[in-house]
Amino acid sequence: MNSPQAKATTSPLVAASSTLALVHYLDRQGVLDIPTVERIAGFNKNELADPDLRIPAERHYRLWEHAEKVTGDPAVGLHAGQVVDPDRMGLVGHVFFNCDTLGEAVTQYVRLHRLINESVILSFEQTGEQAILTWQADTPGHYCRQDMDRTLAAALCRTRHFIHPSIVAEWAEIAHRKPGYADEYQRLLGGPVFFGCSATRLAFSSHHLSHPIPHRNPYVYSAVLKQVNAVLARLQSRRTFGRKIRRLISRQMSTDRIDADTLAKQCHMSRQTLYRRLKKEGLGFHELVEEVRKDKALRYVASDHYALGEIAFLLGFSELSAFSRAFKRWTGMAPAQYRARHLNIDNGDAPE
């Protein structure tokens, strides 16, 4: 297909089913302008129905900006995400709601998330009695408030609809600033909500993970999972070199000075070849080092397993003050403040 998807293979992609769901929402609101939507998306409306189609994330996010403008609704993401239509779910949705339990469904959701949106990294952890999902945009430019709102609303509303109506969030952290419609989050999610955080996180009680999924269809699960695994395999053939370099950076961060020459030698190539191969995947070496260091810092500081001085050493900083400056640049707060805030949340208290 001669399409924006084919021309932009190094750009993060979003499943066209997500874009099509927004198109249908605009249609229901009576504000669908098909020529404008097709121009923004780069595909005609019929093409968006292709279950294997993926479009550049930037186009998908521009369509959300258009949606907010034409609806006049700043909370358009929250409202669109509350629409539950089984006939319009993507392939990952059909896998999710045909698993045995919610715990298995969450595991598949995290594993297959790249099929939904490559520009957002999804992770899952259990801390004590809480299960926590974390969404982190790969770059600040790929953070879309409306799309994140829709993701949170859809995740919870679909789970209530298909699995158990009593499931609520124990707390949520939102990466964007507090909007004028902030009260809607707590009414929808059920627990306290904090804004302006380093990532978007949704916590719920771990006991929900054992909830069986009613009306699951093993045949549908097997057939759809086979299809999505084939799509995932094709995607994983992309950017494999970048993942390899990311692993090498992570492994060596606390033991060696991270530099391109050293990693290039380990890969049996020149530094120029290293840079060139990363560039083909839309990546930069120094940006990768910064991303790995930041991701590790957020996990280490929030977990309270290491003293701050130990974390600085593990991340390759010469002294704690240098680490503190970098951490404040990444998150807007000092490491000690960030740790206290997360410990308070994990203990069920609101952060200061």
Side-chain angles (χ1 to χ4, degrees):
M1 180 186 294
N2 183 19
S3 67
Q5 175 177 322
K7 295 175 184 176
T9 55
T10 59
S11 299
L13 303 175
V14 172
S17 59
S18 298
T19 306
L20 187 61
L22 176 54
V23 171
H24 287 311
Y25 181 79
L26 294 178
D27 194 16
R28 282 192 291 269
Q29 301 304 305
V31 293
L32 178 61
D33 178 350
I34 292 179
T36 300
V37 165
E38 291 181 340
R39 175 178 53 78
I40 295 172
F43 293 88
N44 67 49
K45 187 170 177 286
N46 292 332
E47 288 176 321
L48 292 174
D50 180 351
D52 292 328
L53 181 66
R54 304 165 65 71
I55 74 170
E58 291 86 353
R59 289 182 175 272
H60 180 70
Y61 295 151
R62 286 203 297 272
L63 193 58
W64 271 114
E65 294 172 1
H66 168 76
E68 179 171 334
K69 180 178 179 181
V70 297
T71 60
D73 178 14
V76 62
L78 286 182
H79 298 152
Q82 293 177 57
V83 176
V84 179
D85 186 348
D87 294 331
R88 300 200 186 280
M89 283 196 307
L91 291 174
V92 175
H94 286 292
V95 170
F96 189 104
F97 294 110
N98 282 287
C99 289
D100 283 329
T101 64
L102 178 58
E104 181 190 349
V106 169
T107 299
Q108 291 286 16
Y109 179 43
V110 173
R111 185 178 76 88
L112 300 174
H113 188 263
R114 287 190 66 227
L115 295 178
I116 302 172
N117 190 338
E118 289 185 323
S119 73
V120 175
I121 301 165
L122 176 63
S123 59
F124 173 70
E125 62 180 320
Q126 285 185 253
T127 304
E129 297 299 314
Q130 292 185 335
I132 304 170
L133 284 165
T134 301
W135 290 266
Q136 178 79 60
D138 60 357
T139 67
H142 286 154
Y143 187 86
C144 175
R145 170 179 53 81
Q146 301 93 334
D147 190 66
M148 188 57 67
D149 281 353
R150 187 260 176 188
T151 297
L152 288 173
L156 206 50
C157 290
R158 290 181 180 186
T159 300
R160 288 169 178 161
H161 178 85
F162 288 104
I163 302 176
H164 202 284
S166 69
I167 294 176
V168 297
E170 296 205 345
W171 53 262
E173 293 182 333
I174 311 296
H176 50 259
R177 294 180 179 178
K178 186 175 183 179
Y181 55 92
D183 289 347
E184 291 197 35
Y185 291 88
Q186 188 159 346
R187 286 199 296 271
L188 173 64
L189 303 178
V193 181
F194 312 103
F195 295 91
C197 303
S198 60
T200 296
R201 305 170 80 211
L202 186 67
F204 55 95
S205 174
S206 294
H207 83 265
H208 290 308
L209 297 175
S210 61
H211 274 312
I213 298 182
H215 314 302
R216 74 177 294 268
N217 186 320
Y219 174 78
V220 170
Y221 176 80
S222 178
V224 177
L225 187 61
K226 183 177 180 179
Q227 184 175 355
V228 298
N229 280 340
V231 177
L232 187 63
R234 292 198 297 271
L235 288 177
Q236 288 175 337
S237 66
R238 301 171 54 217
R239 305 187 183 187
T240 54
F241 183 70
R243 287 198 296 273
K244 177 181 179 180
I245 298 301
R246 196 187 301 267
R247 287 195 298 270
L248 289 173
I249 292 170
S250 179
R251 192 180 305 144
Q252 295 182 210
M253 188 157 281
S254 63
T255 59
D256 298 293
R257 179 175 175 268
I258 303 297
D259 65 82
D261 287 323
T262 300
L263 267 69
K265 288 179 182 177
Q266 292 182 29
C267 297
H268 307 290
M269 63 181 63
S270 67
R271 182 178 61 179
Q272 289 74 20
T273 301
L274 173 72
Y275 284 161
R276 185 170 63 252
R277 291 190 59 179
L278 287 174
K279 186 176 181 181
K280 284 180 66 176
E281 299 182 5
L283 302 170
F285 177 76
H286 297 294
E287 289 77 11
L288 268 183
V289 174
E290 183 83 350
E291 285 178 17
V292 172
R293 187 169 277 129
K294 176 184 175 182
D295 289 346
K296 281 177 168 285
L298 294 178
R299 290 200 305 271
Y300 287 161
V301 173
S303 70
D304 197 29
H305 290 161
Y306 299 104
L308 297 180
E310 291 177 302
I311 296 173
F313 170 77
L314 290 170
L315 299 182
F317 287 93
S318 58
E319 53 188 18
L320 178 58
S321 59
F323 168 62
S324 296
R325 287 194 297 272
F327 194 90
K328 192 164 186 178
R329 184 177 74 249
W330 293 328
T331 66
M333 64 181 75
Q337 180 186 2
Y338 186 89
R339 170 166 285 178
R341 189 174 190 279
H342 280 260
L343 290 177
N344 284 338
I345 290 175
D346 289 341
N347 289 331
D349 300 325
E352 296 179 359

